Amino acid sequence: FSALPLRLQDALKDCTISMKVMKSCLYSELHDIFVNINSGVPLNSQEKRNAINTPISSIVRDHADRVQISEMFSKMNMKDAWFKRSLDAEWVAMMYVCTLQDYETAAGPKEIDNFYKIGKGKFSKDVPQYSRSVRSRFSRIISLLANVVNNYKPSKNPLAQKEFWGMLLVCEYIIDNNLEISDYQSLASLIVEINTKLSVESSIQFSKDMTKAEELGQELPSKANYYFFLQSNFKGLSQRHLRRESLIPSVLSSDKFKDLLDVSEEEVA
């Protein structure tokens, strides 16, 4: 080390070296583990979260490993490398956080990190966000979402992220209000249709408001207050709330949605 140039010595002194202790590994697995660790590819945020000793890690991973969920992500044209690097688990974690009701937060990297860390060294029963009732509710939401997404028949392009997150919000409402849907494919198409309509209408309104503000010499309106912009920021908590306030009533007031409700004869009577 002493024979190295000073600049290189300084660089090495400033390096942070991660050490991982892996227990209960089979001898037959050691080669693959060694190759993976020394492949030169740094761990991404979700791979680091997976290593945290928290109940939510296995809960999220179990959902991501479900065939139905894998098919759902494939509908969005996700590549194999995406699954290999645990990004499917990251999306499941984001969906969990986005539907946490009283515990709902933003869904950025920092918030997801905190969501994992609150359970570090604890049992599920000791963390309200991991409780049995919360997990059961989320399982129903993501199962319905998978049915809706997997039955969607796009005309051209794969399902867009903004449409996917809109479907999640609608599925959350359906589960929380004990509604039954008779046709998943039609529901998926309806959500995309209404989402597009809201986006176009808000974009037109934004242009009108911009023109009016310029003519009157007023402060220009912010895109952040319009649906076409809200739909592109699913990680933001306030943006998600505002999107709910526009999307859900628009879906519920649609005659097409009312036709999709599976209402029993007793309920009709």
Side-chain angles (χ1 to χ4, degrees), residues 59-67 69-70 73 83 88-90 92 142:
I59 293 170
V60 168
R61 186 69 261 169
D62 287 346
H63 277 299
D65 286 342
R66 290 166 54 189
V67 174
I69 305 305
S70 296
F73 287 133
F83 293 97
D88 53 341
E90 184 172 62
V92 171
I142 196 174

Side-chain angles (χ1 to χ4, degrees), residues 112-123:
I112 301 301
D113 286 345
N114 292 336
F115 174 61
Y116 273 69
K117 291 176 181 177
I118 57 174
K120 189 174 181 179
K122 299 178 182 179
F123 295 106

Side-chain angles (χ1 to χ4, degrees), residues 24-174:
S24 303
C25 296
L26 297 176
Y27 187 83
S28 59
E29 298 174 337
L30 293 180
H31 176 264
D32 289 339
I33 292 173
F34 179 82
V35 171
N36 289 336
I37 291 176
N38 293 277
S39 63
V41 179
L43 297 175
N44 61 35
S45 296
Q46 186 58 37
E47 288 168 332
K48 293 177 182 178
R49 295 183 193 115
N50 292 342
I52 299 174
N53 179 25
T54 173
I56 201 63
S57 182
S58 60
I59 293 170
V60 168
R61 186 69 261 169
D62 287 346
H63 277 299
D65 286 342
R66 290 166 54 189
V67 174
Q68 185 188 33
I69 305 305
S70 296
E71 292 176 352
M72 176 179 73
F73 287 133
S74 296
K75 275 280 190 175
M76 301 175 67
N77 205 27
M78 301 303 187
K79 307 299 181 183
D80 289 342
W82 196 79
F83 293 97
K84 292 177 181 178
R85 299 301 306 275
S86 288
L87 295 181
D88 53 341
E90 184 172 62
W91 269 53
V92 171
M94 287 191 291
M95 285 185 276
Y96 196 115
V97 166
C98 287
T99 56
L100 266 177
Q101 291 182 312
D102 294 340
Y103 303 101
E104 183 181 355
T105 67
K110 180 180 179 181
E111 290 79 17
I112 301 301
D113 286 345
N114 292 336
F115 174 61
Y116 273 69
K117 291 176 181 177
I118 57 174
K120 189 174 181 179
K122 299 178 182 179
F123 295 106
S124 296
K125 64 182 180 63
D126 299 322
V127 183
Q129 293 90 327
Y130 305 171
S131 69
R132 185 185 298 274
S133 61
V134 171
R135 299 196 317 266
S136 176
R137 173 179 174 272
F138 177 69
S139 182
R140 295 196 301 274
I141 292 172
I142 196 174
S143 294
L144 174 59
L145 176 66
N147 281 329
V148 173
V149 173
N150 291 338
N151 281 279
Y152 179 54
K153 307 296 183 185
S155 56
K156 295 181 180 179
N157 301 320
L159 183 67
Q161 291 188 21
K162 59 187 178 182
E163 296 166 345
F164 174 86
W165 292 102
M167 289 180 180
L168 173 67
L169 298 180
V170 174
C171 288
E172 177 189 29
Y173 181 91
I174 289 173

